[in-house]
Amino acid sequence: MPSLTQLPWANSCVSACTKLCMAMRRVTVPLVAGLVVVVVVLSLLAEHCLADGGGLAERVIWAVNAGGEAHTDMHGIHFKKDPLEGKLGKASDYGVRLPILRSSPEDQILYQTERYNEDTFGYEVPIREEGDYILVLKYAEVYFAQSQQKVFDVRLNDHVVVKDLDIFERVGHSTAHDEIVPFSIRRGKLSVQGEVSTFNGKLTVEFVKGYYDNPKVCALYVMKGTLDDVPKLQPHPGLEKHEELEEEEEEESEAGEEGGKKSTSTAPKYRVQSGPRTPNPYAADNSSLMFPILVAFGVFIPTLFCLCRL
């Protein structure tokens, strides 16, 4: 009886099986490697999405709706009820009767309520971990209808981080405005806008009484991260060009004052504004100029009539 290897068809089967195994090995190795790469990429994308979206609320360590009740905004940030209620300053909901521009409808309450005080006041924020942080201050001018009516400073552990804040002068009436202040805490030191001081575990945010009316705040929060992590307000239509023209005029003015010499100042602009300034609606009011003209006409016409009769 012939052996299995002596049969022609058996040799063909063995050869085919060998080739098939070798082909499968060549295909399987890159296929497994490709699957591993896909799994790693998907894991990285998932982590990135959590960091950009779902992780935003988790990075906020403290948030308060000043003068108002607790509220969770569209980004998942939970603003607590104002802890100063009944203790310091006065709460106001005067702005609830007004729609707030640049803010989403569900989050307008963060700009419609506020806390103000007739003297300097503030909040204390406990911070236990080192790292980079962002302070976000939310504002809207819902009462005054012109600039130079409410002007005040903001201090962060005795560092002035916002100087001469005039909300109406920046964005106009009933319009959302965020002041964004980055700072860092490392080795027991607070660093903000180029200044350094000792940090004892508490961040004191103060609104400093100025010459014009009372300081206030609508809402505020502190989060870990950088400027790129802060949600941006909606754009203010038609005003971006106005801000560019103002910046060009300021640069030309500075160049003229220095006799055409290029400025050597390299001081960075730390304040990050939420949007461009709006023109003062009262700046173009010429009614005061028309009054004396009308009076002159009122006197001239009767006088001319009397002279004609003579």
Side-chain angles (χ1 to χ4, degrees):
M1 182 177 179
S3 63
L4 188 61
T5 56
Q6 293 177 343
L7 298 174
W9 61 267
N11 290 331
S12 299
C13 289
V14 171
S15 177
C17 289
T18 302
K19 292 180 180 179
L20 179 62
C21 290
M22 293 180 65
M24 290 181 64
R25 186 179 300 174
R26 286 195 298 268
V27 172
T28 302
V29 172
L31 180 61
V32 172
L35 289 174
V36 171
V37 172
V38 169
V39 171
V40 171
V41 171
L42 290 176
S43 300
L44 292 175
L45 286 174
E47 292 178 1
H48 181 71
C49 290
L50 287 174
D52 288 347
L56 176 62
E58 283 71 19
R59 291 203 297 270
V60 175
I61 65 171
W62 188 91
V64 162
N65 181 21
E69 300 295 325
H71 175 78
T72 300
D73 73 359
M74 61 183 296
H75 304 288
I77 301 174
H78 179 70
F79 291 80
K80 298 184 296 183
K81 179 180 178 180
D82 195 340
L84 296 183
E85 181 64 34
K87 299 177 182 178
L88 181 63
K90 298 178 182 179
S92 172
D93 61 355
Y94 183 84
V96 296
R97 69 193 72 185
L98 301 170
I100 305 298
L101 300 177
R102 304 184 68 206
S103 175
S104 58
E106 58 269 30
D107 292 336
Q108 291 194 8
I109 191 65
L110 295 174
Y111 298 92
Q112 292 170 328
T113 63
E114 62 184 54
R115 178 164 298 279
Y116 67 92
N117 192 35
E118 296 179 356
D119 200 355
T120 298
F121 76 103
Y123 297 84
E124 285 190 348
V125 184
I127 298 181
R128 299 179 179 85
E129 297 181 3
E130 295 186 349
D132 295 322
Y133 291 87
I134 300 289
L135 168 66
V136 179
L137 306 168
K138 294 184 174 292
Y139 291 102
E141 182 53 70
V142 296
Y143 186 76
F144 293 110
Q146 59 184 0
S147 59
Q148 295 297 307
Q149 299 298 304
K150 181 187 289 292
V151 183
F152 58 94
D153 296 344
V154 180
R155 285 196 306 237
L156 197 64
N157 283 32
D158 294 327
H159 302 281
V160 177
V161 293
V162 181
K163 183 70 174 174
D164 295 331
L165 176 59
D166 187 334
I167 305 164
F168 184 92
E169 197 267 342
R170 292 200 185 279
V171 294
H173 191 265
S174 60
T175 303
H177 173 68
D178 288 357
E179 287 286 340
I180 305 173
V181 182
F183 65 95
S184 63
I185 298 172
R186 287 184 175 83
R187 298 180 181 179
K189 299 292 184 180
L190 167 68
S191 300
V192 58
Q193 298 188 357
E195 299 178 0
V196 180
S197 63
T198 302
F199 184 71
N200 60 3
K202 287 185 178 180
L203 189 74
T204 303
V205 185
E206 292 182 297
F207 308 95
V208 184
K209 171 75 173 181
Y211 292 106
Y212 301 99
D213 201 64
N214 303 312
K216 77 167 192 176
V217 65
C218 295
L220 66 162
Y221 66 88
V222 177
M223 64 174 287
K224 294 196 72 172
T226 63
L227 292 173
D228 294 334
D229 301 322
V230 181
K232 302 299 186 295
L233 290 171
Q234 297 176 8
H236 205 317
L239 294 176
E240 291 80 2
K241 192 171 183 179
H242 176 75
E243 184 183 44
E244 293 176 0
L245 291 174
E246 279 193 345
E247 291 178 353
E248 291 177 1
E249 290 176 358
E250 290 177 1
E251 291 176 359
E252 291 175 359
S253 176
E254 290 176 0
E257 290 175 357
E258 295 178 5
K261 294 182 180 180
K262 188 178 292 186
S263 174
T264 57
S265 174
T266 58
K269 295 181 179 179
Y270 292 97
R271 183 183 300 170
V272 180
Q273 300 177 8
S274 65
R277 301 175 179 178
T278 60
N280 186 348
Y282 298 93
D285 186 4
N286 295 321
S287 59
S288 59
L289 296 176
M290 293 297 296
F291 181 73
I293 297 175
L294 293 174
V295 171
F297 270 106
V299 174
F300 175 74
I301 292 174
T303 303
L304 181 62
F305 179 75
C306 293
L307 292 173
C308 291
R309 293 196 62 181
L310 291 175

